[in-house]
Amino acid sequence: MIRIKGLRKVYRVGEEQIHALRGLDLQIGSNEMVAVMGVSGSGKSTLMNIIGCLDRPSAGSYELDSKSVAKMTANQLALVRNEKVGFVFQSFELLARQTALENVELPLIYSLERGLTSAERRRRALEALDRVRLTDRVTHRPNQLSGGQRQRVAIARAILNRPAILMADEPTGNLDSVTSHEIMEIFRKLHQDGQTVLIVTHENDIAAYCQRVVRLKDGQILSDLSIAEDTAGRAVR
Amino acid sequence: MILTPYFYAQAIKLALGQIWANRRRSILTSLGIIVGVASTTAVIAALTGLKASVLQEFESFGANRIFVFPSRPDNVPRNKVPWDKMRIKPWEVRELQAGCPSLRAITPVTEIGVTVLSADRELEGISVVGIWPDWHETENRRVIEGRQFSQIDEDRERQVCLLNEAAVDALRLPDDGVESHILIGGRRFLVVGLVETIQSRMFGMGADTGEVFIPFSMAVKLQPPEYFLRVAALARNAEVSEEAQIEIQRTMRRIRGIQPGDPDTFRVEAIDRYIEQFKTMATGITAVAAGIVGISLLVGGIGIMNIMLVSVSERTREIGLRKAVGATPAAILMQFLLEAVVLCLFGGLIGVLCGKLTAIGLTFIPGAPLKHADVPMWAVGVSFAFSAAVGVAFGFFPALKASRLDPIEALRHE
Ligand SMILES: Nc1ncnc2c1ncn2[C@@H]1O[C@H](COP(=O)(O)OP(=O)(O)OP(=O)(O)O)[C@@H](O)[C@H]1O
Ligand SMILES: [Mg+2]
């Protein structure tokens, strides 16, 4: 599903060069659920942005669904984001003036799929909302929804086009712990239905929903273990 | 890059939503365009109305009418062509009458400066005009009371006259004045008819100007030698108007013995020439109005550009999100361009409505020749086309800026 080799990312700030990722190898198979952890500044978001095709690596190779992404044009990347990637953000990023349903339908505006009827679009959006268990709030606007409900709308939007990979950068960062667990249950359910999931988090109990934990340090992989090994390793330390 | 019809539908819906959400700002922003479009459409409406009234007036005046005046040729010194060579003589008019088959009617017209007296009134500065009976036809003016002039009046140099109502009033004649006697230039004239008054606001002839008409042969007697006369004629119909003018010119040159290559010593004019002149003038005014609009649309366009830049920076995160879910740079560019165009068209629409209202208001102004003021369809079309063009021209830079935003940085924007 995801095949990354020697991935590097260098930011240039004035004269200074910041090495956010320094030669990183990573493979994620179909229907895995992986947590990415690490201290602040270790390069988690940078990695996510590259995997999510929002950014391009400075060096190294990246294949998504056995297609090389590294050399794609801006338009091709946009199409990949639209069809293959679902992104969930810490701060939800919903459009304030649109209803939950309209927010979920958003990716279809940029889809190249032709001949979709509005009934079909609606059906897909409602199905996505059903999968995040939010069918009773579809005509509400974001400011009429709780944080957890907003994040569910955002997840529904991310899974609308049945992406190859569902990515979330600290999806529970703005939520209380009860709501966080509700959201993680949804991710777990989606994973059980066959969705590949990649989640960045700082919390071990959030990572505990995943089967595999990748830890980063200074733009390199520190450890890449199953959840059981990772938990055991932490206990030792 | 391909964009689907659904994308366009959503982009326009979004643009309308933006305008509605920022109603006040939208109106203030498009004020330049509103004012520009409203003022042009109003000017065009007024001109259209004026044109309709003037043409109607020309029509009622008789579009087939032709005039002949004495005229000094251009670029010829004064002493080369003395007045007597240019002056139209009565026998020349008779030659024209005989030599121009395309004419239905022809008459000399001469105005004489004499005093007019009734039993208890003396009038000065009233116009006394000498005419042939054909004048009734060339001017399309009949009598309301009494009778018209006849050929016998002319041939026998009868001392008879026609008056209009203003003259009857001014002379304090009893009843409609017919059968009264008045003194013109010291001679006793019988009033035989009351001639109808033509209302013409535009050509300075109104019901309040007193007019006295006498047979041309009689007028000649009252005139000093070398008097001025002009010729009024009527072509058989509009189609032969041109032919009639040529016949007049040929006849005049022949009887005056003007050699080929030498200039005319007279001038033939037809109403349609005035119509052409008026149309040219109206087109000129329209062009000036269009120029003014161009400037105000430019000012309006700068306002649009400014507000679109504000909109792009306000919605940076939204742009980032749209890119994250798959919007291409072209899609973002198109979306903001459409928003600018829709905003301008919205301004154009309000402007056209204001122009239309102004036009309706103009038709109610009493006394103004604007009864037919209306915004023509082409002006509506041009207004919208210009508004859209302003949207594209001034929305392009902000839209380009939006399309070039980096999605990650945009999403990090506060
Ligand atoms: N646009 C940028 N320009 C310059 N440096 C950047 C940029 N984005 C990230 N960096 C740097 O790259 C490194 C990795 O950043 P990244 O955002 O990936 O960290 P992170 O692991 O997501 O941290 P956090 O847990 O705080 O979100 C940091 O040193 C950061 O300062
Ligand atoms: Mg981060």
Side-chain angles (χ1 to χ4, degrees):
Chain A
M1 175 71 45
I2 287 173
R3 205 185 291 270
I4 285 170
K5 270 211 167 62
L7 196 70
R8 290 178 175 278
K9 182 70 187 180
V10 184
Y11 290 110
R12 246 170 268 273
V13 180
E15 294 289 286
E16 205 183 348
Q17 288 197 343
I18 296 165
H19 294 264
L21 296 176
R22 320 163 178 252
L24 186 145
D25 299 336
L26 181 67
Q27 290 198 19
I28 296 172
S30 197
N31 195 23
E32 275 198 87
M33 182 157 176
V34 182
V36 178
M37 301 189 73
V39 296
S40 187
S42 55
K44 304 183 294 295
S45 294
T46 306
L47 178 63
M48 291 292 272
N49 290 339
I50 291 173
I51 293 177
C53 296
L54 285 167
D55 205 355
R56 267 181 282 207
S58 309
S61 72
Y62 167 33
E63 274 178 27
L64 173 63
D65 233 4
S66 34
K67 278 199 208 74
S68 176
V69 172
K71 289 186 191 71
M72 280 189 176
T73 65
N75 283 341
Q76 287 169 322
L77 283 177
L79 192 60
V80 172
R81 290 198 293 271
N82 187 251
E83 293 178 344
K84 298 247 158 96
V85 180
F87 226 113
V88 176
F89 303 91
Q90 180 174 352
S91 47
F92 324 134
E93 306 297 346
L94 299 178
L95 300 181
R97 271 201 295 277
Q98 317 257 335
T99 64
L101 198 61
E102 289 167 336
N103 266 290
V104 175
E105 284 179 348
L106 187 69
L108 290 178
I109 295 179
Y110 305 105
S111 163
L112 294 187
E113 215 174 319
R114 278 170 182 270
L116 273 185
T117 63
S118 64
E120 170 72 2
R121 278 189 286 266
R122 191 113 310 185
R123 194 190 61 71
R124 278 203 211 175
L126 284 171
E127 184 194 291
L129 281 163
D130 183 50
R131 290 176 74 197
V132 298
R133 293 185 211 103
L134 195 88
T135 42
D136 53 342
R137 294 278 193 281
V138 296
T139 57
H140 288 57
R141 284 171 214 285
N143 61 2
Q144 298 165 320
L145 297 172
S146 72
Q149 289 168 333
R150 288 183 208 181
Q151 195 58 302
R152 287 195 228 186
V153 174
I155 296 170
R157 179 178 66 197
I159 60 174
L160 182 77
N161 278 340
R162 302 242 164 213
I165 183 152
L166 174 61
M167 322 191 48
D169 195 345
E170 301 188 40
T172 60
N174 283 7
L175 301 173
D176 63 62
S177 64
V178 175
T179 316
S180 296
H181 286 287
E182 281 171 20
I183 293 295
M184 286 317 294
E185 278 301 335
I186 287 169
F187 277 112
R188 193 196 337 243
K189 181 82 190 356
L190 292 171
H191 169 239
Q192 279 166 2
D193 293 345
Q195 178 70 59
T196 311
V197 183
L198 189 55
I199 291 174
V200 170
T201 183
H202 285 286
E203 336 259 343
N204 288 316
D205 56 341
I206 297 295
Y209 283 85
C210 303
Q211 308 145 328
R212 181 178 159 194
V213 180
V214 175
R215 289 184 183 272
L216 298 188
K217 194 187 175 200
D218 295 336
Q220 284 177 316
I221 292 187
L222 179 69
S223 68
D224 183 353
L225 303 167
S226 74
I227 184 70
E229 291 167 332
D230 187 76
T231 315
R234 258 193 299 123
V236 171
R237 263 186 276 128
Chain B
M1 188 54 227
I2 327 124
L3 295 168
T4 59
Y6 179 63
F7 163 81
Y8 285 104
Q10 289 298 307
I12 288 169
K13 194 176 143 197
L14 183 79
L16 292 172
Q18 282 292 330
I19 291 172
W20 180 246
N22 305 311
R23 294 180 278 283
R24 190 174 310 171
R25 189 166 93 178
S26 303
I27 289 184
L28 286 178
T29 304
S30 40
L31 212 55
I33 289 174
I34 293 174
V35 169
V37 169
S39 50
T40 347
T41 46
V43 168
I44 290 174
L47 275 176
T48 311
L50 189 65
K51 207 148 113 185
S53 301
V54 169
L55 291 185
Q56 213 174 50
E57 190 120 352
F58 277 130
E59 289 291 316
S60 74
F61 221 58
N64 309 336
R65 286 174 63 197
I66 301 166
F67 303 100
V68 189
F69 300 98
S71 170
R72 189 182 302 281
D74 293 339
N75 312 324
V76 172
R78 233 158 212 293
N79 51 4
K80 265 285 185 67
V81 185
W83 168 240
D84 198 54
K85 275 202 167 171
M86 297 186 293
R87 190 172 79 81
I88 298 173
K89 291 117 204 145
W91 68 268
E92 289 179 328
V93 186
R94 278 190 289 277
E95 285 288 334
L96 285 175
Q97 189 177 32
C100 301
S102 297
L103 291 182
R104 182 210 302 275
I106 184 166
T107 176
V109 177
T110 184
E111 228 173 286
I112 56 183
V114 290
T115 53
V116 180
L117 275 166
S118 67
D120 55 336
R121 275 273 150 169
E122 177 177 343
L123 290 184
E124 277 182 67
I126 193 166
S127 78
V128 175
V129 183
I131 54 171
W132 282 356
D134 261 9
W135 176 89
H136 291 289
E137 202 161 344
T138 63
E139 304 297 298
N140 194 23
R141 289 177 74 177
R142 311 292 164 182
V143 290
I144 315 165
E145 292 293 335
R147 63 164 180 88
Q148 298 190 175
F149 278 164
S150 68
Q151 196 56 43
I152 300 169
D153 297 328
E154 176 64 26
D155 294 345
R156 301 220 177 132
E157 301 175 5
R158 277 185 175 158
Q159 296 193 2
V160 291
C161 69
L162 301 169
L163 303 179
N164 70 350
E165 277 172 342
V168 172
D169 290 348
L171 290 164
R172 301 252 173 96
L173 297 177
D175 303 326
D176 50 30
V178 178
E179 300 298 308
S180 309
H181 283 92
I182 58 174
L183 290 178
I184 301 173
R187 292 171 186 245
R188 204 171 130 88
F189 279 73
L190 173 68
V191 179
V192 293
L194 180 64
V195 79
E196 63 187 358
T197 298
I198 283 196
Q199 292 288 356
S200 172
R201 231 179 282 110
M202 249 160 272
F203 300 103
M205 303 186 327
D208 43 343
T209 320
E211 292 171 295
V212 178
F213 301 95
I214 58 174
F216 181 74
S217 52
M218 203 48 237
V220 172
K221 282 193 170 178
L222 299 174
Q223 286 273 53
E226 301 222 329
Y227 58 92
F228 173 92
L229 84 81
R230 64 189 166 88
V231 178
L234 192 68
R236 291 198 182 279
N237 52 53
E239 283 77 58
V240 299
S241 166
E242 199 110 330
E243 249 172 271
Q245 292 169 49
I246 293 168
E247 285 170 5
I248 292 173
Q249 193 189 20
R250 289 217 181 112
T251 311
M252 284 297 283
R253 286 182 73 93
R254 177 172 53 78
I255 60 182
R256 289 193 168 183
I258 299 171
Q259 295 302 311
D262 283 354
D264 292 347
T265 51
F266 57 92
R267 185 159 47 100
V268 183
E269 278 184 9
I271 285 279
D272 52 12
R273 217 184 101 178
Y274 294 112
I275 294 177
E276 280 312 310
Q277 275 178 4
F278 176 77
K279 280 186 178 162
T280 313
M281 188 189 78
T283 310
I285 298 174
T286 311
V288 170
I292 295 168
V293 158
I295 293 168
S296 66
L297 285 186
L298 200 76
V299 175
I302 291 168
I304 296 288
M305 179 148 92
N306 186 43
I307 214 69
M308 288 309 295
L309 285 172
V310 170
S311 182
V312 167
S313 91
E314 274 177 0
R315 289 155 67 197
T316 300
R317 280 182 86 97
E318 180 191 322
I319 294 164
L321 173 78
R322 287 177 183 276
K323 290 197 158 187
V325 301
T328 57
I332 297 291
L333 179 89
M334 185 55 79
Q335 186 173 322
F336 277 86
L337 210 50
L338 275 174
E339 196 168 314
V341 168
V342 169
L343 186 60
C344 289
L345 285 177
F346 160 82
L349 178 70
I350 296 186
V352 166
L353 289 179
C354 290
K356 190 100 187 163
L357 282 178
T358 313
I360 293 171
L362 287 176
T363 62
F364 288 111
I365 298 177
L370 296 169
K371 289 280 163 292
H372 306 280
D374 191 17
V375 182
M377 274 321 288
W378 66 263
V380 175
V382 167
S383 298
F384 283 128
F386 263 84
S387 305
V390 168
V392 172
F394 290 89
F396 190 79
F397 173 63
L400 191 68
K401 211 178 145 186
S403 76
R404 288 188 173 165
L405 283 176
D406 179 65
I408 302 163
E409 269 166 37
L411 278 167
R412 224 183 269 145
H413 187 87
E414 275 316 307

